[in-house]
Amino acid sequence: MNSVFNALPVQDLARTGALPTAKPQSHIGSDDSAVHLLRDFAEHRLSVLSSDMSVSEARLWMRLADTSFKVVENQAGDCLGILAIEDVNGEKAMSVANRQGVPLKDVRVRDIMRPISELPAIHYRDLRAATVGDLVSTFREVHEGYLLVLDDDRRQPSRSFLRGLVCAEELLQRLDLAIDLDHRATKFYEIVHVVKGGF
């Protein structure tokens, strides 16, 4: 194969002392593309925990990584569920330990995670066509803090894979409330209730 590749033009920055850097779009509006909120695992390294890990170890890893959630995988690398920081910091682990009659140190991530069978999922093609306002409506309808985003496996068209996820808490933080305040305040309130579990 005789492919010809061309070098890109290189800019001379010899007289440049500093450059502004790109910043992520921090505020979004209801008419913006919903894709802005996707944590796309095809583009960003997936933050995972083993399902066999102890809850205390998971808590430490989540604090060190300063993350509100982690994906839980089995030994084969398949996603089993989501572990949110409130799951490891709350009463859930203690409740499971009491119910199983074991010490808290024996409770595993798989015991307190949110299994994928209980999480709502949307398709990537639908997300690409959706607006942030559509996501607000979806979170309001499903009463869950996370939406799994599935995509088709190009090598095996009959199979899907986990492309990423959308987090209601991030939507809440990035939603631009300066536009159409009265209308948005209602949606903001609804999202807060979804995120905090007040349905």
Side-chain angles (χ1 to χ4, degrees), residues 12-167:
D12 181 8
L13 299 178
R15 296 177 189 222
T16 305
L19 283 173
T21 57
K23 306 284 188 276
Q25 185 178 358
S26 60
H27 294 287
I28 54 175
S30 62
D31 294 327
D32 288 334
S33 173
V35 173
H36 290 304
L37 289 159
L38 174 65
R39 292 202 186 183
D40 193 339
F41 302 150
E43 296 179 10
H44 303 286
R45 183 167 161 74
L46 182 60
S47 182
V48 299
L49 295 173
S50 166
S51 61
D52 296 326
M53 183 181 286
S54 72
V55 171
S56 57
E57 188 178 355
R59 182 181 306 113
L60 176 64
W61 279 109
M62 292 179 82
R63 285 183 181 160
L64 289 173
D66 193 26
T67 184
S68 61
F69 75 92
K70 287 212 180 241
V71 172
V72 179
E73 288 186 347
N74 60 16
Q75 291 180 341
D78 296 327
C79 175
L80 299 177
I82 302 292
L83 186 69
I85 194 71
E86 59 266 19
D87 297 332
V88 295
N89 285 339
E91 298 173 5
K92 194 172 187 178
M94 185 62 78
S95 174
V96 168
N98 288 335
R99 191 171 59 246
Q100 292 179 352
V102 298
L104 187 58
K105 67 180 180 61
D106 291 342
V107 177
R108 301 287 164 218
V109 166
R110 68 177 166 271
D111 299 324
I112 66 167
M113 71 178 187
R114 301 169 192 199
I116 59 170
S117 60
E118 296 176 10
L119 291 169
I122 58 176
H123 198 280
Y124 180 64
R125 83 174 88 72
D126 296 326
L127 183 71
R128 280 193 332 233
T131 65
V132 170
D134 296 330
L135 276 179
V136 170
S137 295
T138 305
F139 277 117
R140 190 172 142 214
E141 185 176 300
V142 300
H143 304 293
E144 181 58 59
Y146 301 93
L147 288 172
L148 301 178
V149 179
L150 307 179
D151 202 357
D152 298 325
D153 189 333
R154 290 188 176 99
R155 290 167 278 179
Q156 296 178 329
S158 61
R159 294 192 62 195
S160 294
F161 67 95
L162 181 61
R163 172 75 183 252
L165 61 81
V166 179
C167 176

